[in-house]
Amino acid sequence: MERRGEAIDEEQGLIGRRPGSGAAGVAEVTPVRRTWPTVDGPHGLSEDESHAYARSYFYWGFALLPFLWAVNCCYFWPVLRKSHPSPRVRPYVMRSAIGFTIFAVVLATWSLTFIIGGERLFGPIWNDLVMYNLADKLGLTGWT
Amino acid sequence: MARENPNPNPTVLESLGEEIIRIVAPVSACMLLVVLLVTALSSDGGGGRGFSSIVTIAYSEDASDSIWDKLKDALGYSLVFVVLITLLTFLLVLLFYLRCTRFLKSYMAFSSFVVLGFLGGEVLLLLISRFYLLIDVVTFSLLLFNFSVVGVMAVFLSKVPILVNQGYLVIIGVLVAYWFTLLPEWTTWALLIAMSLYDLAAVLLPVGPLKLLVELAISRDEELPALVYEARPVEQHRPVVGRRLWRERRDLVINSSSNLIGTEAGGMTSQHTSVVVAEEGPSVSTVTDPLLQHQPGMDRGEDAEGIGLGSSGAIKLGLGDFIFYSVLVGRAALYDFMTVYACYLAIMAGLGVTLLLLAVYRKALPALPVSIALGILFYLLTRASLEMFIVQCSTNLLMF
């Protein structure tokens, strides 16, 4: 009866008093709230792994990969929302969130300028930058 | 703590139903996306001329060919494909036997990157050209690069949220299935039939490469580096919070026993519960339950076919199954939506039958044959009889 319970204990550390089996266990459990640093809950990472992953995702995000910052925020959502206190993971997740917000704002600004401004703003170079013209010119869709 | 016990035994509908939903939902999502892509992007509604020039080196299909010629070409091409797949799978078995896991992993990461980056980029470009979406090259390349790299990491290299992993697997399935629907029509059907026969042979025959792979993986107690979709165990939605902790644990065990069995046989449940109790291990993955088997496989050496049970009791379905189901439905979509509905229902029925057989036999099973057979049967029946019936009724304003 203890398989899943033991697995959780092994992954996350001791939760609290382990209940006995059967009906006698009902009265023995102390109400202990247990949260996990990852959004996957008990199927996710442990504290140490979370720290390692949060750090590596944060640093790799600088290699023109802001999606990794988004993945960081999504993955450690409980840490971001402060429902799971984790002083080691939180700085990385916060910085990833800020980084992703800045990237999103910059990209949205550029993209909207491109779409709304169009040829009026950019001149003839707009036709060279827009994707469907570029695809036709380079023959990227020609093979299908 | 005196406390009443609301429902210690979840009903079969809850546990089994949720388990099935978690495998049916991504398969349906994959099929839906392929149907949408096919209907949005199909121009000549038949076969791609350009595509056949790349892939079908020796064979090409023409609308003016006679039926016998088309059949010959189709059979020839699908035979070539199946032979290629068999060779690749044996190569995979050999590499796995020689423990070249790093090479296998990097090869699969590379091929996922190719699929996501190039095929994904191709599909996106087709969509952009078709709908004249205003995207500039900088945004497009940045987003595509991010998408592919994160996809490769999510599927193979590192840990990401489970939903992200599953989403990327579905996307890879959609892209490869769309690519396959570009084949000429008769070739597609011949390919589907050939792949189901191959799957049947490779998984069930003692000399089959997939069976060898499974046995190797089990004897070494390793995971194969293959593209396999694993549905989350039913326990996921239950928050394991203290007040209900003891009940959750009991429920978890009951759920995992019913996962592994899959049907409501009560006697088997209690027998299995005792098996679980006897094997206490320090962690879930080392519980060597004889019912838990992997079912990995091939398809260009990277996708997996067949259905099996994961190490946490969740149902695992190989990505090759996603792909071929979606190919069948996508090809049906190229004719009409009527066939899409019929084939979708047939495939779901086949999947249900396969899950039932999985529960009964409790070992890795090929997931393709039953569904593809039913799907093709329903496609032919729909085209032959249902279509005429519905069209007559509609034009005479009798129904629909």
Side-chain angles (χ1 to χ4, degrees):
Chain A
M1 278 295 190
E2 302 302 315
R3 180 179 76 158
R4 182 63 71 158
E6 279 185 21
I8 293 174
D9 280 343
E10 286 299 324
E11 282 176 10
Q12 310 296 340
L14 238 304
I15 294 178
R17 259 206 315 224
R18 188 170 310 175
S21 55
V26 179
E28 287 180 343
V29 174
T30 49
V32 165
R33 188 153 192 99
R34 175 71 188 174
T35 56
W36 278 268
T38 60
V39 78
D40 288 334
H43 304 291
L45 305 172
S46 66
E47 271 294 327
D48 295 327
E49 284 179 333
S50 302
H51 174 71
Y53 273 106
R55 198 169 60 158
S56 70
Y57 281 160
F58 174 65
Y59 286 129
W60 275 102
F62 283 108
L64 287 184
L65 290 170
F67 273 28
L68 282 181
W69 287 334
V71 167
N72 223 4
C73 297
C74 291
Y75 206 14
F76 300 111
W77 190 251
V79 177
L80 199 61
R81 302 296 296 167
K82 295 197 206 148
S83 58
H84 176 93
S86 175
R88 289 187 299 160
V89 176
R90 194 175 161 79
Y92 292 116
V93 178
M94 281 303 299
R95 290 180 213 158
S96 301
I98 295 171
F100 184 68
T101 323
I102 296 176
F103 161 77
V105 163
V106 167
L107 193 70
T109 316
W110 157 252
S111 205
L112 285 173
T113 316
F114 187 83
I115 292 175
I116 298 176
E119 270 189 85
R120 294 190 311 260
L121 196 60
F122 287 90
I125 201 161
W126 189 87
N127 282 323
D128 288 332
L129 282 179
V130 80
M131 203 58 215
Y132 50 80
N133 282 343
L134 203 63
D136 285 338
K137 198 163 61 164
L138 296 176
L140 292 172
T141 56
W143 64 281
T144 308
Chain B
M1 177 171 90
R3 180 176 183 286
E4 76 281 7
N5 196 349
N7 186 15
N9 300 315
T11 62
V12 167
L13 211 57
E14 282 171 9
S15 54
L16 180 63
E18 183 146 5
E19 194 69 27
I20 289 183
I21 290 284
R22 287 191 188 202
I23 200 75
V24 161
V27 176
S28 310
C30 187
M31 289 199 248
L32 178 71
L33 284 174
V34 170
V35 167
L36 287 177
L37 269 181
V38 161
T39 49
L41 294 177
S42 76
S43 51
D44 50 11
R49 290 169 300 267
F51 184 80
S52 50
S53 71
I54 286 184
V55 182
T56 58
I57 307 165
Y59 306 96
S60 62
E61 223 170 83
D62 209 345
S64 58
D65 278 347
S66 71
I67 293 210
W68 175 243
D69 283 337
K70 282 198 243 187
L71 198 62
K72 226 171 29 166
D73 290 344
L75 284 176
Y77 183 67
S78 49
L79 201 65
V80 166
F81 193 75
V82 168
V83 165
L84 200 66
I85 292 295
T86 319
L87 289 174
L88 279 175
T89 317
F90 274 115
L91 185 67
L92 184 69
V93 173
L94 187 68
L95 285 175
F96 190 59
Y97 183 70
L98 297 173
R99 296 179 191 269
C100 311
T101 31
R102 274 199 65 184
F103 173 73
L104 279 177
K105 257 187 113 79
S106 39
Y107 166 72
M108 288 191 185
F110 171 70
S111 60
S112 310
F113 183 72
V114 165
V115 166
L116 281 175
F118 288 97
L119 276 187
E122 184 69 32
V123 167
L124 282 174
L125 282 176
L126 284 172
L127 282 171
I128 288 174
S129 305
R130 173 70 184 248
F131 295 114
Y132 291 107
L133 299 175
L134 294 169
I135 296 187
D136 62 299
V137 68
V138 172
T139 318
F140 179 78
S141 43
L142 192 63
L143 289 179
L144 187 65
F145 174 64
N146 270 280
F147 175 74
S148 344
V149 171
V150 174
V152 169
M153 290 184 60
V155 170
F156 273 119
L157 298 178
S158 90
K159 303 269 269 176
V160 288
I162 294 172
L163 281 179
V164 171
N165 185 15
Q166 293 178 335
Y168 269 109
L169 284 173
V170 169
I171 288 174
I172 292 179
V174 167
L175 290 174
V176 178
Y178 177 71
W179 194 67
F180 270 113
T181 58
L182 296 174
L183 288 174
E185 178 161 13
W186 286 76
T187 312
T188 320
W189 295 113
L191 187 70
L192 283 172
I193 297 177
M195 285 309 298
S196 356
L197 291 173
Y198 165 76
D199 200 20
L200 199 61
V203 173
L204 296 178
L205 288 181
V207 79
L210 297 180
K211 199 172 177 83
L212 294 175
L213 267 173
V214 170
E215 283 167 5
L216 264 180
I218 290 181
S219 66
R220 290 195 204 164
D221 206 16
E222 268 177 34
E223 284 266 354
L224 254 204
L227 283 171
V228 170
Y229 183 96
E230 181 167 344
R232 294 318 309 155
V234 183
E235 306 79 79
Q236 183 205 4
H237 282 326
R238 296 165 186 265
V240 187
V241 181
R243 187 170 63 85
R244 293 155 59 193
L245 199 54
W246 69 275
R247 179 198 144 202
E248 302 314 323
R249 286 181 180 159
R250 279 189 55 204
D251 280 349
L252 292 177
V253 172
I254 292 170
N255 279 338
S256 25
S257 4
S258 60
N259 291 348
L260 292 165
I261 295 186
T263 54
E264 54 286 292
M268 287 162 75
T269 309
S270 58
Q271 172 212 358
H272 186 69
T273 313
S274 62
V275 169
V276 170
V277 167
E279 296 171 314
E280 349 176 58
S283 66
V284 176
S285 57
T286 63
V287 171
T288 53
D289 195 312
L291 304 180
L292 306 173
Q293 302 206 359
H294 307 282
Q295 176 40 38
M298 37 35 66
D299 198 350
R300 295 179 290 124
E302 59 173 1
D303 303 335
E305 289 188 0
I307 190 169
L309 297 165
S311 55
S312 57
I315 296 180
K316 274 183 166 186
L317 188 60
L319 209 62
D321 298 325
F322 275 76
I323 290 172
F324 286 110
Y325 293 164
S326 308
V327 168
L328 197 150
V329 175
R331 177 50 66 175
L334 283 171
Y335 184 69
D336 193 41
F337 275 115
M338 208 183 337
T339 43
V340 169
Y341 302 138
C343 291
Y344 172 73
L345 291 173
I347 290 181
M348 284 303 137
L351 191 63
V353 167
T354 314
L355 287 174
L356 198 69
L357 289 175
L358 182 70
V360 168
Y361 285 105
R362 297 192 217 157
K363 59 177 196 165
L365 289 179
L368 276 186
V370 181
S371 288
I372 300 284
L374 280 178
I376 295 182
L377 179 70
F378 272 66
Y379 177 79
L380 293 172
L381 283 177
T382 307
R383 269 185 84 154
S385 55
L386 192 65
E387 178 191 5
M388 237 177 333
F389 174 67
I390 289 183
V391 166
Q392 294 291 334
C393 284
S394 303
T395 51
N396 289 315
L397 300 177
L398 201 60
M399 271 199 280
F400 315 112

